[in-house]
Amino acid sequence: MADKNIRYLTPVAVDTQKSKYCRFLKHKIQYVDYKDANFLRQFLNEQGKILPRRLTGTSLKYQRKVSKAVKRARHLAILPYVTDLMK
């Protein structure tokens, strides 16, 4: 008869994603400073585009503040508009 043990060539995929959370609500941050370039870079990808909420986990209220702060920082040349491999 057939062996009861089932063996797979590749491991079975199990979802072990971290739960997303809004870091602003968790750390009680009220104001998003447009002059803090290192903090704002956490919300940008390698090309300098703003990451969406579904990837960062930021709430809608703070995502709007982040996008406004990034745009202000770009306008003042603190952050670049477009770049290659920023991180």
Side-chain angles (χ1 to χ4, degrees):
M1 297 258 158
D3 191 6
K4 299 279 183 184
N5 296 331
I6 299 173
R7 297 181 184 174
Y8 297 101
L9 295 176
T10 58
V12 179
V14 178
D15 278 343
T16 58
Q17 287 184 340
K18 292 182 185 178
S19 62
K20 295 179 194 167
Y21 64 92
C22 180
R23 66 184 84 194
F24 297 98
L25 293 175
K26 184 176 181 180
H27 300 297
K28 296 178 176 59
I29 299 172
Q30 296 294 323
Y31 178 70
V32 182
D33 190 13
Y34 66 91
K35 294 171 280 196
D36 190 4
N38 292 329
F39 180 71
L40 291 176
R41 282 195 180 136
Q42 297 174 0
F43 300 97
L44 301 176
N45 66 4
E46 293 85 23
Q47 291 87 28
K49 294 180 181 179
I50 301 172
L51 291 173
R53 288 178 55 211
R54 61 186 165 80
L55 294 180
T56 60
T58 308
S59 64
L60 179 62
K61 175 182 174 181
Y62 290 103
Q63 181 69 22
R64 287 183 183 141
K65 290 182 179 184
V66 165
S67 65
K68 186 167 277 206
V70 168
K71 290 174 186 177
R72 284 181 180 169
R74 285 175 177 166
H75 183 72
L76 295 172
I78 298 170
L79 289 175
Y81 280 96
V82 179
T83 184
D84 289 332
L85 300 174
M86 183 168 62
K87 292 185 178 180

